[in-house]
Amino acid sequence: MNPFPSNAGWVNRISPWFLPVVFFLTWFAVSETGMVPTYLLPHPKDILAAASTYIFSEAGQGPYAGRFFKDLVASSLRVVSGFGLAASAGIPLGLLSGRIAAVNRMVGMTINALRAVPGISWLPLAMVWFGIGLKTTVFLVALAAFFPIYLNAEAGARQVSPILLQAGAMMGVHRLRGTFAILIPAAMPQIITGLRLGMGISWAYLVLGELTGVPDGLGALIMDARMLGRIDVIIVGILMIALIGRMCDLGLNQLLRLSFKSARRMP
Amino acid sequence: MTARLHLVDQRTEAMPAILDVAALSKQFSTNGINPVVVLQDIRFSARRGEMICFLGRSGCGKSTLLKILAGFIPPSSGSVQLNGRPVGRPGPDRCVVFQEDALFPWLTVKENIAFGLKGRKLSRREREREVDRFVSLVGLDGFADYLPQAISGGMKQRVSLARVLILQPEVLLMDEPFAALDAQTREEMQNLLLDLWKEFSHTVLFVTHDVNEAVLLADRIILMEKAPGRIREDITIKLPRPRKKDSAPFFNQCRVMMAKINQV
């Protein structure tokens, strides 16, 4: 199947970095030639300097100096809370709705109607209800992450082969035990897809929530930098979110694989 | 060997019925106007330790009958009694071996076999010993830690057999379990089933459309006809065991059965 078996491991290890490196080199080349003015796209070394100030400098030594960890903690807390709420509502409700027609009839229409509302439409309402800060952001993140988690759990539960449930039943495994021993493991691939999509969306809505004028967080950083015309800081913020978002995705995957046999042994 | 088998035969003759099916019928209706009668007035009883094959062409309702006995679907009328009590929801007293792959793909061979034991009052060590014993009994030594995706169709059916036999069911329901296997593997599995049956002498209801298979396995063949699904004939197979597929009596018995099924 693999045409290059001898160096396959090596190629596989570096291939994820191919696109970022090409992207960075192009950026570097464009900046060196001066084709693009720096107020539109700063030189990579300026970005590096801004990032280093943002992450490592002592707080108070300059604008944005040393804010990183405070922002990271604030943003992570919001993402984790919102995502946690979404998962703890979305998975059980999705599984129920996928297996029990009555539940599906009862909640399906409402959920799909709400799903059609763009998340940003909730922002004004959330600000009125929850004010500015943690609660609004958590609300937006939870709301946005709920739908992919719910829909995938529902599809997963619906597609579980009835013969597996019958096999369980004839071995004396019914209802609650069957849910944990058969239904959830069998729906695991879709549940994981839903959680990963939900995690991605959580970061997107985090920035939306933090645009409202909260003092800390990565979204707040980007918004603040926009007001002051600090393109370099905006790019630092974007790169940080890309990095942390990817780490969250990996972490989520590892956590699931650690906790569930069915996640480890997914085909 | 023959003496012991003879004893088994006598014992089954004397045994009271373990399973009683009376006036059972099943109709499906898609629109409520034209119900399709799948099973009509099915009545038979099975004695403890008996091996009964349901033989019939596709569409005669033999699989539906097995699903009703297992408790997966309710009958439209009639009754099914196990040890004098009506059967309800599916349970480990009536275990099923399915035709298709029904193993849990996220569990290893060993874990699949142990699945039904989880709720029972057994110490961990007792459970492990029991699982190891059944892994050996179905000839899967060395494969205990494989996932289903890594083993062949025949081996999967060995696991399916082990995971239900370990629960000591009163009745074993088998729905064309070897139909999807190649000829050689099917023969191996038939012999394995006979060996296990000799050891545990559980009651087996075996659905098949293969005349050879039915004559090889059955104490009794219940011949079914279709539209509506009914019992046409209940035939006792008196061939001595172990039966040899290349012997003249076996061949004759198959011919007789073939003639009967062609009249259906």
Side-chain angles (χ1 to χ4, degrees):
Chain A
M1 211 171 93
N2 195 323
F4 311 110
S6 59
N7 56 5
W10 177 77
V11 170
N12 287 344
R13 261 200 303 282
I14 66 157
S15 60
W17 296 101
F18 179 73
L19 281 180
V21 167
V22 166
F23 177 75
F24 181 80
L25 287 178
T26 314
W27 179 11
F28 192 85
V30 165
S31 302
E32 282 292 309
T33 57
M35 278 157 62
V36 179
T38 52
Y39 65 83
L40 291 182
L41 183 66
H43 195 285
K45 69 178 195 300
D46 297 333
I47 302 292
L48 216 61
S52 142
T53 311
Y54 176 53
I55 299 171
F56 300 111
S57 289
E58 198 112 345
Q61 281 189 338
Y64 307 113
R67 266 184 57 179
F68 174 66
F69 287 101
K70 213 176 97 213
D71 286 346
L72 178 68
V73 169
S75 287
S76 302
L77 185 71
R78 291 167 191 151
V79 164
V80 169
S81 317
F83 176 78
L85 279 174
S88 50
I91 293 176
L93 202 56
L95 292 176
L96 279 174
S97 171
R99 287 313 311 175
I100 303 169
V103 175
N104 195 323
R105 271 195 299 276
M106 202 168 74
V107 301
M109 195 187 76
T110 310
I111 287 178
N112 283 303
L114 288 177
R115 190 164 66 92
V117 179
I120 198 163
S121 325
W122 293 99
L123 183 61
L125 196 58
M127 285 171 70
V128 175
W129 284 349
F130 301 115
I132 286 166
L134 180 73
K135 279 192 253 172
T136 294
T137 317
V138 169
F139 171 76
L140 288 173
V141 167
L143 193 67
F146 171 81
F147 296 109
I149 294 174
Y150 166 84
L151 285 172
N152 280 283
E154 186 206 358
R158 204 204 321 261
Q159 284 161 24
V160 169
S161 160
I163 204 169
L164 291 184
L165 297 168
Q166 287 180 347
M170 64 102 178
M171 288 188 277
V173 175
H174 297 269
R175 296 184 187 279
L176 192 65
R177 252 195 81 210
T179 302
F180 287 97
I182 303 170
L183 184 62
I184 291 177
M188 189 56 77
Q190 283 95 333
I191 293 176
I192 289 180
T193 303
L195 288 174
R196 291 181 65 181
L197 286 169
M199 179 59 93
I201 285 185
S202 294
W203 281 98
Y205 278 82
L206 169 85
V207 176
L208 180 66
E210 288 181 347
L211 292 182
T212 55
V214 290
D216 49 9
L218 292 161
L221 170 83
I222 292 174
M223 212 47 204
D224 197 41
R226 187 191 73 96
M227 309 273 201
L228 299 175
R230 288 287 301 271
I231 304 292
D232 54 343
V233 175
I234 296 178
I235 294 176
V236 168
I238 289 172
L239 290 176
M240 286 299 142
I241 290 177
L243 204 69
I244 296 161
R246 178 69 187 130
M247 274 159 49
C248 279
D249 187 42
L250 285 175
L252 179 71
N253 233 343
Q254 286 304 320
L255 183 74
L256 288 164
R257 290 170 68 86
L258 268 177
S259 328
F260 297 100
K261 214 179 261 177
S262 49
R264 272 198 298 287
R265 294 171 178 171
M266 236 161 54
Chain B
M1 191 58 132
T2 41
R4 188 183 154 216
L5 281 175
H6 187 65
L7 272 179
V8 170
D9 281 344
Q10 276 191 336
R11 197 184 60 187
T12 50
E13 292 291 326
M15 279 286 177
I18 180 174
L19 185 76
D20 257 307
V21 175
L24 185 97
S25 69
K26 177 73 187 175
Q27 44 203 26
F28 289 111
S29 71
T30 41
N31 49 13
I33 304 162
N34 297 316
V36 181
V37 181
V38 183
L39 291 170
Q40 194 179 59
D41 195 29
I42 301 290
R43 43 182 91 220
F44 69 91
S45 56
R47 286 187 291 272
R48 190 176 291 277
E50 207 171 15
M51 172 97 72
I52 300 179
C53 284
F54 289 86
L55 183 62
R57 302 180 175 202
S58 37
C60 69
K62 53 196 195 302
S63 288
T64 306
L65 175 59
L66 219 62
K67 286 197 182 99
I68 293 173
L69 298 183
F72 296 147
I73 51 175
S76 302
S77 62
S79 74
V80 180
Q81 293 197 323
L82 185 66
N83 289 324
R85 272 197 297 266
V87 305
R89 67 176 191 174
D93 50 349
R94 292 155 286 135
C95 277
V96 184
V97 177
F98 299 92
Q99 178 182 350
E100 52 276 69
D101 177 14
L103 299 178
F104 302 118
W106 59 89
L107 298 179
T108 61
V109 164
K110 209 160 77 178
E111 290 163 346
N112 264 292
I113 294 175
F115 187 87
L117 283 186
K118 285 275 164 61
R120 304 208 169 174
K121 282 179 190 136
L122 280 174
S123 74
R124 201 193 153 105
R125 182 177 297 169
E126 280 173 320
R127 194 163 66 212
E128 271 173 20
R129 210 175 34 223
E130 197 67 355
V131 170
D132 288 343
R133 185 163 82 94
F134 276 86
V135 168
S136 290
L137 267 175
V138 296
L140 285 176
D141 284 311
F143 293 95
D145 295 317
Y146 279 55
L147 287 174
Q149 67 199 37
I151 61 176
S152 69
M155 290 161 100
K156 282 182 192 168
Q157 288 308 62
R158 286 169 190 263
V159 179
S160 303
L161 256 175
R163 76 167 176 187
V164 296
L165 287 181
I166 202 170
L167 301 177
Q168 299 167 318
E170 302 255 21
V171 179
L172 191 55
L173 304 168
M174 306 185 78
D175 187 6
E176 305 204 41
F178 311 141
L181 305 176
D182 64 88
Q184 265 175 309
T185 311
R186 190 181 314 144
E187 202 154 319
E188 273 173 35
M189 293 302 295
Q190 288 162 352
N191 291 329
L192 175 69
L193 174 65
L194 286 171
D195 287 345
L196 292 168
W197 179 58
K198 226 178 334 185
E199 177 153 352
F200 294 101
S201 45
H202 41 255
T203 313
V204 183
L205 303 189
F206 192 107
V207 163
T208 182
H209 59 257
D210 180 346
V211 172
N212 258 289
E213 188 168 58
V215 173
L216 179 73
L217 299 175
D219 291 323
R220 262 163 74 199
I221 294 178
I222 293 181
L223 191 63
M224 294 187 65
E225 61 184 21
K226 68 172 175 183
R230 271 191 302 221
I231 293 180
R232 186 181 174 93
E233 214 178 330
D234 189 336
I235 306 141
T236 305
I237 304 293
K238 292 209 166 107
L239 288 176
R241 296 175 189 271
R243 294 174 185 165
K244 290 210 166 55
K245 277 191 176 174
D246 51 4
S247 70
F250 185 87
F251 188 68
N252 282 334
Q253 185 73 65
C254 287
R255 247 198 357 218
V256 171
M257 287 309 303
M258 196 68 91
K260 283 183 193 290
I261 206 171
N262 280 336
Q263 288 165 14
V264 172

